[in-house]
Structures are given as C-alpha cells and as structure tokens.
Amino acid sequence: MIFSTPLNTRATECGPDRWITLPHVVSYMEHCRWLWMREPELGLVDAVHEGHGFYVLNQSIAMHRRFGMGQPGEVRCALTKAGRASAEGVQDVRREDGVQLAHCWIRGAWVGPTGRLARLPAKARESVVDTGLETTRG
C-alpha cells in the first residue's frame, strides 16, 4: 500500500532564500505518516487510539530539488520491511508533474502505551510493498 496526501506549500514555510526549509520537509513527511496510520487498510488505527505509535529510530533525507511556496504536489509513504516490533519505510515529496523533490528512508519502532516495544499488527506487516520509491530520482 502506497499512501499519499496532497501538498501545497505556504509562504510561512520558506526560509530567507524563499525556498522551503528542510525542517518543513520533515514536517510534511511526519504529517503524512500520521495520516497514513489512520487508514483502515494498514490496521493500526485502533492501536493508535489505545496509545501505540511509531517512533522514528533513524531517518535519512535526500533533497533532489529545491522548491518554494505555492508548490502543489503530494507526499507519499509506504512500508518496505516489517518485523515483530519494527518497520522500515520510504517516503517522497513530488511535484504534481511527478518530479521527485525529496526522498526519505525511515526505520521505526512500534511502541505501546507503556513505552515498551509492542508487536506490530499482522495487517500492517501484510501491507509491505516493493514500492520502487527507493530508486526513483527526479
């Protein structure tokens, strides 16, 4: 399952050079992941309401092109690997014409309401896909 959400950048997210800053790109990706966890097909929404959540262990972002305010596009994410209590995924930010602006590799842990590692629901493990996002370049 590849999840996507629309992106429309705002002037308040630009730095002094009028380009979107890296912290805002990270924010777009985080927002996309939280929206995605609410999708019934992923099987995590009930657990999220009970206090479970993914915690990012490490994240690498490659910026392929700079972009500014008013840039329509989308942010996408997908699981590429899932274990008992951990998962790996990829994300990207694309212009509406399909050109990739940024790409992200993420490794995270599924943590329960007590703050301890928890078993990732089987439905989420089944949603792992070979996305092709890893090799896409803009």
Side-chain angles (χ1 to χ4, degrees):
M1 169 185 173
I2 298 176
F3 177 79
S4 71
T5 186
L7 169 70
N8 194 4
T9 59
R10 299 177 296 265
T12 57
E13 299 162 340
C14 293
D17 58 2
R18 298 188 332 213
W19 297 109
I20 300 298
T21 63
L22 184 57
H24 283 99
V25 173
V26 172
S27 178
Y28 301 150
M29 291 181 176
E30 179 73 11
H31 179 70
C32 179
R33 288 193 303 267
W34 279 99
L35 290 175
W36 176 48
M37 282 195 292
R38 297 183 349 198
E39 286 295 308
E41 296 87 26
L42 194 57
L44 300 177
V45 70
D46 291 337
V48 168
H49 290 306
E50 294 169 0
H52 289 76
F54 272 115
Y55 288 84
V56 173
L57 300 173
N58 63 3
Q59 174 172 296
S60 298
I61 297 176
M63 294 292 294
H64 300 299
R65 287 186 164 60
R66 296 176 1 154
F67 56 104
M69 67 178 176
Q71 181 69 63
E74 68 178 343
V75 183
R76 302 185 311 165
C77 60
L79 281 179
T80 56
K81 192 179 203 183
R84 183 184 177 283
S86 65
E88 294 180 15
V90 292
Q91 287 189 266
D92 67 1
V93 177
R94 294 180 171 267
R95 290 191 318 219
E96 67 181 358
D97 64 2
V99 172
Q100 189 177 68
L101 303 171
H103 184 83
C104 180
W105 299 265
I106 305 156
R107 189 168 58 98
W110 184 244
V111 177
T114 62
R116 299 178 62 131
L117 289 176
R119 186 170 191 78
L120 189 62
K123 197 170 184 180
R125 286 195 302 276
E126 293 166 5
S127 71
V128 170
V129 294
D130 180 13
T131 63
L133 296 178
E134 298 88 344
T135 58
T136 305
R137 296 288 180 213

